[in-house]
Amino acid sequence: RNVRRPVRTHARESTMAAATATPAPATSPLPPALLQDLQAHQLIKRQQAVRRLKKCAEAASGGAEASFVSAIERKLSGILRDTDSTWQAKHGAFLAAAGFLELKKLGESCRKEILKFALSNLEHKEYRVRLVVASTLEALATVDGVAIYLAAKKDIFDSINRNFHRDGKQAKIQNKSKFLLPKANLMDLASEDSMGGLTLGGSMGGGPAIGKVPDLQASKPASQEAKADSGETLATIDSSTPPKPKGVGGGLRKGGLRRHTQKKPAGVGVGPPGAKKAQAPTVTNRISAPAALTRWKAELREQMHDTEGWKSLETSFGALKAIISGTGEKFSQYVDGEVLGLLERASTHTNRFVREIAYHTAAAIGSTCDLETLKKLAKRTCTLIAKGLADNWSQVRYASSIAARHLLLRAQKAGFAGDYVPILLPPMCINRYYVAQGVRIYSQESWRLIMGKRGAELVAKHIDKVVEFYVSQAQADNHAVREAACACITELAIKVERKAVIPHVPKLLETLIDCFRDDSWPVRDAACSACGDFIRAFPAESKSKMTKLYSLWFVHLKDSIPTVREGAAIALGKAVEAYKEEGKLVVAKKLKEVLPAVQDQAKDSKRLANMENVTQFGVARRVTGAEALKNSDQQMYSCGSLAPKMKKRGAGCMDHSFQRLAEPWEVTDGAIYLLRELASHDPETVGTLIEQTAEMVSKRHYGHHVYLKQTMWKALPIIAKRMGKRPFKRVMSPMLEPLVETLSCQHRLAMHAAADCLEELAKFLGPLVFTGRLEEADLCDRVKKSGMVSFLKA
């Protein structure tokens, strides 16, 4: 064993050295393994092959380097010239070309040849090849400058213009299986009025004769085509359809379609003499007359996703952006009306990815062109970018935010940022509160970099344009934009100079009241809080709106969403702070009215009642038939947007169609939040209601009593601190029994809320005083037994 150990160690060291050693420079043919990996199907192998080839080139010197680079040039040309090579081989060749261009190792003739191949693959059917072509063009532009743009301009612009609009014929659905529905979901279509022209091997409301329904087969005999044109009947599936295996499910079993094993009643579903009958849908063929009808309607309407069918439009824009980035400042002289016009057209394109790449291209122009060009194009460029900053899609907003930062930072250093700020300030402001985290964080960072500590001053300076933009965004289709607009309006009341905001208070309040009727609860919540801040900051100017605001706050106090209830209570507290005695009378009266609501609670209580859960295990329910067609060809929205489901406003000033009726226990829950807020301004009234509140919280006849208790025990320490020690000690006794009882309710959240409440009260009143109160009520042993508090252990 002692003799063999050195041999094994030496072998291991040799293996490790071989694995870590830098590849020796090749002098004649390229390593076959590297060439094979360069064309491999796995991307990681192609990338590794390029890195190893670059190391070989860097390690070579003199004649060996020239020989190696010459061999690489020949190999790359051979792969790109070969029309039979796979897309992976072309992808690897372009990767290697871009890598060697970074090293500036390729000769002029090779670069020209690579440019020719890049332009010929500008519309390659494989998306990944088109992406690496753009990278190659950027590397070429880094080496050869504007010459690459001049050589590639015609091809790129022609590609963009050619694909800017979809061909109507090409837009029709080609994939037959896209609209074929499973057998279990055919009834939605079978029951449509439009099925009146179909006969499906059985009765269907009397079995009308077969109508003219297109076949799903790829091709039909000429005789069938003629019959279709003349209005004669066609079978949904021709005779070439394979027979259904025995035991495989038959047709629809309800709603008039019979099993294929049953006899068809005489005279039912019989078409004209000689007409073929449609075969019932089966698991085997997955084709049915309803499915045919669905595809027929889809084709007639040219139904297509708004991101489909644009071919290489996005990647051609990407190639233009890559050349601009690679050329750098020398591209400034070519930023003309043609380029900007193309970007302006793309900024309104229906495909969001095209809009996104257009703004990335604008960012490339803003970061590379010289300051003189930047200044000359300030207004036109800013108008373009501002449109993207208000786009419905988060990715487009993010790309526009990048462009805005590049432009403003460079303009600020050159001293002409004043040309940009009035246009870009409002959308930049609102994006600091946008729901998409990437957009929000990037916009906040841009705001700090560009505005510094002058943000509020600049907003006050351009308040007219800011308010106009906020109001328009509060009416946007995207609920996330409406929510951000409410947050920004709140900021005007809190942070901006009062003198600048006063003229716009009525308009802003009307906008917020309008958002109160939103179907989206985050928008309602944001509007609710914003109104509270506004009336506290501008009580005199808001006086005329208070009747309407009180009614809306009271409705939201019993909303189905807990945070909306709490927000309404907080806003009412701000109203009491603003209007003093007048506010106290209104709010206290309402509090006394809604606090006992839980007494009317039925035993079968619900939480978030009447809300529809449309998913199962995170998968959306299947939509078929008339519902599927009804929701086709509509505006699409970002992931964070629920706009298609949620209306902007109700009809009429008191339209409450945006919410459901509240459960009685939820009404009392909102009253507890209001009790907490009123404690700061009217502790006497709150003190008189503590005993009644304890009685309401003690009720256990309904299933969700633990949620009401949880709210109460979270609010009680705050109420105690706002009332003060002495007033609270006078009225606290009725609360102790239900508080201690909650420690054993078997609902973990409520139990921990009760334990935290006991700890907070002991800390506020003093452990000895609070322990004495528990002993008076004979509750100390029960608290100790729970083991959830620490002040008794001490």
Side-chain angles (χ1 to χ4, degrees):
R1 184 169 54 186
N2 292 337
V3 173
R4 292 171 60 188
R5 184 177 300 168
V7 176
R8 292 169 61 191
T9 303
H10 176 71
R12 187 185 302 114
E13 291 174 353
S14 301
T15 303
M16 292 175 63
T20 58
T22 302
T27 55
S28 56
L30 298 171
L34 283 183
L35 297 179
Q36 186 176 359
D37 286 350
L38 191 63
Q39 304 174 63
H41 284 273
Q42 294 84 4
L43 173 62
I44 190 170
K45 286 188 177 181
R46 299 196 295 273
Q47 291 172 332
Q48 288 173 344
V50 172
R51 284 196 293 268
R52 291 168 66 188
L53 285 170
K54 288 171 67 177
K55 284 184 179 180
C56 289
E58 290 170 345
S61 59
E65 179 184 6
S67 175
F68 183 77
V69 172
S70 178
I72 283 289
E73 290 176 351
R74 290 194 301 272
K75 186 61 182 177
L76 294 182
S77 297
I79 295 173
L80 295 175
R81 190 180 294 108
D82 185 5
T83 57
D84 295 329
S85 60
T86 63
W87 73 261
Q88 290 92 343
K90 291 186 184 299
H91 186 275
F94 280 120
L95 272 180
F100 276 84
L101 283 166
E102 290 174 4
L103 300 177
K104 299 185 178 177
K105 297 277 187 181
L106 300 182
E108 183 178 355
S109 60
C110 181
R111 296 200 302 272
K112 289 182 179 178
E113 196 171 11
I114 288 173
L115 174 61
K116 181 184 73 174
F117 290 130
L119 295 178
S120 65
N121 286 279
L122 198 62
E123 296 188 3
H124 194 279
K125 63 180 181 180
E126 174 53 49
Y127 174 75
R128 286 162 285 191
V129 173
R130 302 200 299 270
L131 287 181
V132 78
V133 163
S135 300
T136 305
L137 289 172
E138 182 174 1
L140 283 167
T142 304
V143 176
D144 293 327
V146 294
I148 300 300
Y149 172 69
L150 295 175
K153 177 181 176 181
K154 184 179 184 304
D155 292 288
I156 292 175
F157 278 54
D158 285 350
S159 175
I160 290 173
N161 290 321
R162 184 166 54 249
N163 297 313
F164 204 86
H165 300 285
R166 284 187 293 203
D167 184 358
K169 294 180 180 179
Q170 295 296 327
K172 291 186 178 182
I173 304 301
Q174 298 298 322
N175 184 3
K176 296 181 181 180
S177 65
K178 185 166 186 176
F179 289 97
L180 301 188
L181 307 178
K183 179 188 64 176
N185 296 295
L186 294 179
M187 281 311 302
D188 290 340
L189 277 171
S191 61
E192 290 187 9
D193 292 339
S194 57
M195 286 298 297
L198 295 175
T199 299
L200 296 176
S203 68
M204 182 183 293
I210 298 176
K212 180 181 175 182
V213 180
D215 196 352
L216 284 180
Q217 299 302 313
S219 61
K220 294 191 287 282
S223 60
Q224 290 191 17
E225 295 285 358
K227 288 182 181 180
D229 293 338
S230 63
E232 294 185 27
T233 59
L234 284 178
T236 304
I237 304 172
D238 62 20
S239 57
S240 63
T241 305
K244 180 181 66 175
K246 185 177 180 180
V248 179
L252 295 172
R253 294 173 187 159
K254 295 181 181 179
L257 288 180
R258 300 178 177 273
R259 292 175 181 264
H260 68 282
T261 55
Q262 293 177 338
K263 281 189 175 182
K264 184 173 62 176
V268 176
V270 179
K276 294 183 180 180
K277 301 301 184 291
Q279 181 178 335
T282 66
V283 176
T284 305
N285 53 47
R286 293 188 67 244
I287 300 177
S288 63
L293 179 64
T294 305
R295 178 172 175 256
W296 183 35
K297 289 183 177 180
E299 287 191 343
L300 289 177
R301 296 170 61 178
E302 295 180 358
Q303 180 179 357
M304 215 170 190
H305 194 283
D306 63 359
T307 61
E308 290 181 299
W310 303 105
K311 299 182 181 177
S312 61
L313 179 58
E314 179 191 354
T315 51
S316 295
F317 264 110
L320 177 61
K321 171 193 171 292
I323 291 176
I324 293 171
S325 300
T327 304
E329 191 172 327
K330 294 179 182 178
F331 190 80
S332 301
Q333 56 184 314
Y334 299 101
V335 183
D336 51 16
E338 186 177 12
V339 173
L340 291 178
L342 201 62
L343 296 182
E344 287 168 348
R345 284 178 63 204
S347 69
T348 60
H349 199 277
T350 185
N351 187 339
R352 62 184 181 273
F353 298 111
V354 174
R355 299 199 300 274
E356 180 187 5
I357 193 63
Y359 287 110
H360 280 305
T361 306
I365 292 174
S367 60
T368 56
C369 70
D370 58 57
L371 294 175
E372 189 63 33
T373 305
L374 204 65
K375 186 175 182 179
K376 182 173 64 176
L377 301 172
K379 186 174 181 180
R380 188 173 180 181
T381 309
C382 283
T383 305
L384 171 68
I385 294 174
K387 190 187 303 180
L389 290 172
D391 195 272
N392 185 63
W393 285 86
S394 305
Q395 298 94 327
V396 182
R397 285 193 182 232
Y398 187 77
S400 306
S401 299
I402 295 172
R405 180 190 288 189
H406 284 311
L407 286 169
L408 284 174
L409 284 177
R410 296 191 69 200
Q412 192 176 51
K413 290 179 181 178
F416 59 88
D419 298 335
Y420 290 84
V421 170
I423 303 172
L424 294 179
L425 180 71
M428 286 181 66
C429 226
I430 209 167
N431 282 341
R432 294 174 302 128
Y433 292 93
Y434 193 67
V435 67
Q437 190 174 15
V439 176
R440 184 173 66 250
I441 293 174
Y442 191 89
S443 298
Q444 290 170 355
E445 186 180 351
S446 295
W447 188 268
R448 287 192 294 269
L449 290 172
I450 298 164
M451 309 301 175
K453 296 182 179 180
R454 298 180 60 241
E457 177 187 339
L458 290 170
V459 170
K461 182 179 178 181
H462 303 286
I463 190 68
D464 292 339
K465 291 187 176 181
V466 170
V467 169
E468 181 183 357
F469 185 76
Y470 285 178
V471 171
S472 68
Q473 292 293 283
Q475 299 171 353
D477 288 335
N478 189 336
H479 84 98
V481 177
R482 304 196 296 273
E483 181 185 354
C486 291
C488 287
I489 292 173
T490 304
E491 193 178 48
L492 291 180
I494 296 173
K495 298 181 180 179
V496 180
E497 185 183 0
R498 176 185 172 85
K499 182 180 177 181
V501 181
I502 284 178
H504 303 280
V505 169
K507 187 176 184 180
L508 292 170
L509 269 178
E510 280 296 336
T511 301
L512 292 175
I513 291 171
D514 199 32
C515 290
F516 255 118
R517 301 180 180 88
D518 204 286
D519 275 355
S520 170
W521 70 262
V523 179
R524 299 200 306 270
D525 197 16
C528 189
S529 301
C531 285
D533 289 321
F534 245 88
I535 59 122
R536 185 169 61 178
F538 307 100
E541 293 77 9
S542 307
K543 185 78 171 175
S544 60
K545 306 288 184 184
M546 286 311 298
T547 302
K548 187 182 293 186
L549 285 172
Y550 276 132
S551 63
L552 288 169
W553 279 326
F554 291 150
V555 169
H556 283 70
L557 197 62
K558 53 186 180 183
D559 195 273
S560 61
I561 307 297
T563 53
V564 175
R565 296 197 292 268
E566 185 176 11
I570 293 171
L572 284 166
K574 292 173 182 176
V576 173
E577 181 183 349
Y579 295 107
K580 308 300 180 186
E581 293 300 325
E582 180 184 347
K584 287 180 186 178
L585 291 173
V586 175
V587 173
K589 180 182 178 181
K590 187 65 178 180
L591 177 60
K592 293 174 183 177
E593 177 186 330
V594 299
L595 186 61
V598 71
Q599 294 180 118
D600 301 325
Q601 177 64 57
K603 291 183 179 180
D604 56 339
S605 63
K606 296 177 177 62
R607 189 164 182 255
L608 304 178
N610 299 332
M611 297 292 187
E612 180 187 6
N613 179 15
V614 298
T615 63
Q616 183 178 15
F617 308 115
V619 180
R621 64 185 175 89
R622 187 181 298 277
V623 177
T624 60
E627 186 179 2
L629 294 174
K630 178 182 177 182
N631 292 289
S632 301
D633 295 335
Q634 302 295 324
Q635 172 65 37
M636 293 185 175
Y637 295 86
S638 183
C639 313
S641 170
L642 302 179
K645 188 177 179 181
M646 298 185 172
K647 299 175 291 185
K648 290 181 287 187
R649 300 176 294 282
C653 62
M654 293 303 293
D655 174 35
H656 299 317
S657 62
F658 58 90
Q659 67 172 16
R660 64 164 176 83
L661 294 175
E663 289 277 309
W665 75 267
E666 291 174 326
V667 178
T668 301
D669 186 81
I672 291 173
Y673 286 123
L674 186 56
L675 193 76
R676 183 192 70 188
E677 297 305 316
L678 194 60
S680 299
H681 313 291
D682 193 0
E684 294 81 9
T685 300
V686 171
T688 61
L689 294 174
I690 288 292
E691 184 175 359
Q692 185 183 12
T693 306
E695 181 185 351
M696 298 301 108
V697 173
S698 300
K699 295 187 179 299
R700 302 176 57 189
H701 66 281
Y702 60 100
H704 289 81
H705 65 92
V706 289
Y707 294 105
L708 189 64
K709 288 180 169 62
Q710 186 180 344
T711 301
M712 184 69 250
W713 308 140
K714 286 182 177 180
L716 190 59
I718 300 173
I719 293 172
K721 292 172 184 177
R722 291 176 177 178
M723 289 181 64
K725 289 185 179 180
R726 185 169 296 178
F728 181 71
K729 284 192 288 185
R730 293 196 198 105
V731 298
M732 66 177 287
S733 297
M735 283 288 182
L736 296 180
E737 174 65 30
L739 177 58
V740 174
E741 181 187 2
T742 309
L743 292 175
S744 57
C745 71
Q746 304 303 315
H747 186 274
R748 302 302 296 177
L749 293 176
M751 290 167 64
H752 282 284
D756 291 342
C757 181
L758 287 166
E759 294 282 4
E760 289 291 324
L761 291 177
K763 184 178 179 181
F764 173 64
L765 300 174
L768 294 177
V769 172
F770 191 59
T771 302
R773 288 301 185 95
L774 291 174
E775 289 176 346
E776 287 177 8
D778 198 21
L779 297 172
C780 258
D781 291 339
R782 292 167 61 184
V783 174
K784 287 180 181 178
K785 186 177 179 180
S786 70
M788 298 184 70
V789 296
S790 59
F791 68 92
L792 287 178
K793 297 177 182 177

